[in-house]
Amino acid sequence: MSKGLKLSEILVTVLIAVVFAIIYNLWWFAYNVAQVAGLHIEQVTYGVWFMAAIVAYLIIPKPGIALIAEFAAGAGETIVMGKFDIPTIIYAILQGLACEIIFAIFKYKSRSLMVAALAGLATALISFPVDYFYGYLNEVAGWNLLLFIVFRAISGIVVAGLLSYYIVKALDQTGVTKLFRPASQKDYDNL
């Protein structure tokens, strides 16, 4: 498999990002409904905003894919919102970088459930400093902050990591993703 990105891989990554940009905008409704419950239950749904990078990487396991996907999804989200939102772009870049770090640790060779879950956790953790900078966490009581952190971390692992993994696994079953990975021994045996 070539190390550089092909135009087709970049285009598919951007397509994935566009789909997630729409999902991200629609997800605000579910997030706001969950927010009414209090006690930061909405943070359990937060992992949806981390999924573009993980899904794109699991389909096209190459360096840079996660960053491109998350940045494009964040930029697309601002377009769908109808306003340019700098915090969204900052979140997107940092989330994409967090995923890239995890994927680089595994040398961009693992598409395992564990790697997806770790990438989801990393994206959740990288979002906290930005939340603090923009004032979302400054006024939260200690016990409440702990709930906030735990729920978002769980969401990063379960929603962003595990759900992304199973979505891509389902796509793998259809054969749609075969174009982006080298043929396996099973593929050669089937010839």
Side-chain angles (χ1 to χ4, degrees):
M1 180 177 344
S2 68
K3 295 232 181 228
L5 295 176
K6 298 176 192 164
L7 179 60
S8 61
E9 293 167 336
I10 293 169
L11 291 174
V12 168
T13 301
V14 171
L15 178 63
I16 291 166
V18 167
V19 169
F20 276 100
I22 294 166
I23 292 169
Y24 289 175
N25 268 284
L26 295 173
W27 198 252
W28 280 108
F29 177 74
Y31 180 82
N32 290 333
V33 167
Q35 204 169 27
V36 173
L39 297 175
H40 297 298
I41 298 297
E42 75 280 357
Q43 293 305 310
V44 176
T45 71
Y46 206 88
V48 168
W49 285 296
F50 306 148
M51 290 178 71
I54 298 169
V55 167
Y57 168 78
L58 291 173
I59 292 173
I60 308 167
K62 286 190 172 182
I65 287 293
L67 180 59
I68 292 168
E70 200 62 45
F71 174 75
E77 184 180 6
T78 66
I79 291 168
V80 175
M81 280 191 287
K83 65 178 176 142
F84 185 72
D85 187 47
I86 291 175
T88 300
I89 300 298
I90 291 170
Y91 278 110
I93 291 170
L94 290 176
Q95 290 164 193
L97 285 173
C99 285
E100 289 289 344
I101 290 168
I102 297 299
F103 302 143
I105 289 170
F106 292 91
K107 298 180 177 152
Y108 295 94
K109 293 186 189 227
S110 178
R111 296 176 57 241
S112 71
L113 183 64
M114 180 193 71
V115 169
L118 285 173
L121 177 61
T123 56
L125 296 177
I126 200 74
S127 66
F128 292 122
V130 182
D131 283 349
Y132 187 82
F133 178 78
Y134 283 108
Y136 304 134
L137 300 178
N138 316 17
E139 301 169 8
V140 178
W143 67 271
N144 212 347
L145 181 60
L146 182 62
L147 285 176
F148 189 94
I149 291 169
V150 168
F151 287 160
R152 186 175 298 176
I154 289 169
S155 184
I157 292 167
V158 174
V159 176
L162 303 182
L163 183 59
S164 294
Y165 176 83
Y166 287 113
I167 287 171
V168 173
K169 195 161 182 71
L171 288 172
D172 286 348
Q173 296 297 317
T174 69
V176 163
T177 59
K178 280 187 177 185
L179 295 171
F180 300 103
R181 286 189 294 285
S184 68
Q185 186 60 42
K186 181 181 175 188
D187 293 330
Y188 287 116
D189 293 342
N190 287 336
L191 291 176

